[in-house]
Amino acid sequence: MAFFYSIIISAFHFSLLMLCSLTTGSTNLTNTLLHERFEKWVLKHEKNYSCHDEGQHRLKVFTNNVNFIEKFNREKKYGYTLSINHFADLTREEFMAKHTGATPSPLVLRPSNELDPTSLPPYVDWRTRGAVTAIKDQGSCASCWAFAAVAALEGIVKIKTGELISLSEQELVDCVTASDGCDGGWSQKAFEFIISNGGIATEVKYPYKNVQGKCRANRIEQDEKASIREYGTVPRKNETMLMAAVAQQPVAVYIDSSSSNFQFYSGDGIYDGPCGVNLDHAVSIVGYGDNKGKNYWIAKNSWGKSWGDNGYMYLAKDVHEISGMCGLATHGYYPIM
Ligand SMILES: *[C@@H]1O[C@H](CO)[C@@H](O)[C@H](O)[C@H]1NC(C)=O
Ligand SMILES: *[C@@H]1O[C@H](CO)[C@@H](O)[C@H](O)[C@H]1NC(C)=O
Ligand SMILES: *[C@@H]1O[C@H](CO)[C@@H](O)[C@H](O)[C@H]1NC(C)=O
């Protein structure tokens, strides 16, 4: 039944697009090929446009993005490739507005536990130790701050209790009054809420809705296993100290994701620029390692599995002055149980 429904939907998209393409009256071969490519892409990603202004506009944006991606991949100036993913019909500005959402607040230094930078393991991957839940998708809500905090929390809960429990970003989006829900926020504020709330609900009990709603923390059972007593701040601009924190548990960090290369990162290779240090996005660092002498961080993102390496990103480590690649070593936070 569901399958049949999706076929009807797809046929419907297709006819909309056909209408769009008829109105262009194009006989140019390059345009026709791009059109076909766009139509296939639209079907694959189940995009719904109201014809024909929207369709035409999206085709234009798609074309620009495809050209950008193909040029980048031809030039091979960096150590990774880009791919035409489900974000290919969005301009950089549109993408930034909906899919990021962190603003670093003035740094509040917290007791940073006892991070020990001596005798660190050369390789850490919390995914292989069962401390990382499946990749999630923040959708078109600027709630990365909640996803990064929850990923770090899920990690410490697994490490301390032995149980991997998927926890609720929606509760944070709805209830953290010190953040702005789907208009951006702060992972530290999420931790402060979790401390005072005595935990948060599971993902199953308080599922993600992609919009901010009324806080239902009082009406939904809270998982007290997911409670923390404190959170620590990783000493700034020191990747060794970030390593020490990540060797201990997954860590929420802020990064600058404003480059178009971020939007289209394919997962093939280590992201080694371009980027600045204007922090606008939050992810969780779930490991680090080295590949033939190139050190990298493993970041869990919240842009779905079709982005990056099944939702993950590898960022160059120990190369970018002291702020870390894309500023990742400037604001790191980890929950303490
Ligand atoms: C066809 O369209 C492409 C892209 O818009 C353009 O670069 C090319 O010059 C056009 N070719 C002809 C023959 O008009
Ligand atoms: C397009 O509409 C269909 C049916 O309403 C829905 O299943 C699908 O998720 C929509 N796609 C997008 C990208 O919104
Ligand atoms: C990082 O912090 C450690 C511990 O405080 C210190 O020994 C080391 O010199 C620092 N490294 C840098 C690059 O500041």
Side-chain angles (χ1 to χ4, degrees):
M1 187 55 199
F3 179 63
F4 184 55
Y5 183 62
S6 76
I7 291 189
I8 294 183
I9 301 266
S10 300
F12 183 56
H13 292 310
F14 197 66
S15 63
L16 276 182
L17 280 159
M18 290 312 285
L19 264 179
C20 287
S21 49
L22 280 177
T23 60
T24 66
S26 163
T27 50
N28 179 319
L29 185 62
T30 310
N31 286 343
T32 310
L33 290 176
L34 261 167
H35 243 107
E36 282 174 13
R37 220 165 147 183
F38 182 58
E39 284 174 8
K40 280 197 190 122
W41 179 88
V42 164
L43 288 177
K44 179 173 172 202
H45 297 286
E46 300 191 341
K47 299 284 175 177
N48 304 319
Y49 306 127
S50 52
C51 203
H52 73 245
D53 289 355
E54 180 68 2
Q56 287 300 299
H57 175 59
R58 292 301 150 196
L59 170 60
K60 217 178 264 172
V61 175
F62 177 83
T63 304
N64 288 342
N65 284 334
V66 167
N67 289 340
F68 171 80
I69 290 164
E70 294 189 335
K71 181 165 182 277
F72 177 89
N73 288 344
R74 265 196 315 273
E75 287 176 349
K76 295 192 167 75
K77 281 195 203 147
Y78 291 91
Y80 64 99
T81 62
L82 302 181
S83 67
I84 302 163
N85 58 22
H86 57 302
F87 297 133
D89 63 344
L90 299 177
T91 65
R92 192 176 72 95
E93 292 71 24
E94 288 166 336
F95 179 75
M96 294 295 300
K98 299 248 164 150
H99 299 279
T100 61
T103 338
S105 51
L107 191 74
V108 183
L109 270 177
R110 289 281 183 157
S112 60
N113 211 10
E114 52 295 307
L115 290 179
D116 182 5
T118 57
S119 59
L120 293 170
Y123 178 80
V124 172
D125 188 346
W126 286 109
R127 297 174 298 181
T128 63
R129 297 202 232 166
V132 184
T133 59
I135 286 290
K136 304 185 187 186
D137 191 345
Q138 68 186 82
S140 53
C141 161
S143 55
C144 64
W145 57 275
F147 282 82
V150 164
L153 179 63
E154 289 167 345
I156 194 65
V157 169
K158 162 68 187 176
I159 291 163
K160 296 288 185 187
T161 73
E163 271 187 75
L164 181 66
I165 311 165
S166 186
L167 297 165
S168 174
E169 293 80 14
Q170 189 65 45
E171 178 167 348
L172 301 176
V173 169
D174 292 350
C175 305
V176 180
T177 49
S179 277
D180 293 325
C182 285
D183 293 324
W186 302 272
S187 297
Q188 315 89 283
K189 297 297 175 190
F191 291 136
E192 281 164 22
F193 170 84
I194 296 162
I195 293 166
S196 64
N197 193 52
I200 54 171
T202 62
E203 186 84 66
V204 169
K205 294 221 166 94
Y206 201 150
Y208 193 61
K209 292 283 200 302
N210 198 16
V211 288
Q212 184 172 11
K214 252 196 148 136
C215 177
R216 293 185 294 143
N218 293 333
R219 301 174 43 199
I220 293 178
E221 187 197 341
Q222 304 291 298
D223 191 331
E224 78 256 11
K225 270 196 223 77
S227 58
I228 54 175
R229 65 181 163 81
E230 191 53 89
Y231 69 91
T233 304
V234 180
R236 305 187 73 190
K237 303 189 175 180
N238 187 323
E239 288 188 272
T240 306
M241 293 309 279
L242 183 57
M243 268 174 99
V246 172
Q248 186 175 283
Q249 64 192 103
V251 175
V253 301
Y254 289 176
I255 53 175
D256 177 345
S257 69
S258 61
S259 159
S260 290
N261 299 42
F262 243 85
Q263 186 176 345
F264 301 118
Y265 171 70
S266 72
D268 172 21
I270 299 171
Y271 192 95
D272 51 358
C275 57
V277 290
N278 295 314
L279 310 176
D280 54 35
H281 188 48
V283 295
S284 59
I285 302 290
V286 298
Y288 59 81
D290 90 277
N291 182 19
K292 298 180 197 128
K294 291 205 155 111
N295 295 346
Y296 61 86
W297 295 105
I298 308 168
K300 183 190 192 193
N301 204 348
S302 47
W303 292 346
K305 279 192 184 131
S306 330
W307 180 87
D309 179 22
N310 291 306
Y312 290 91
M313 181 174 208
Y314 306 100
L315 289 134
K317 178 170 167 289
D318 310 318
V319 293
H320 193 265
E321 39 187 86
I322 51 172
S323 299
M325 183 53 63
C326 308
L328 66 72
T330 54
H331 284 253
Y333 302 97
Y334 56 96
I336 302 168
M337 285 184 88

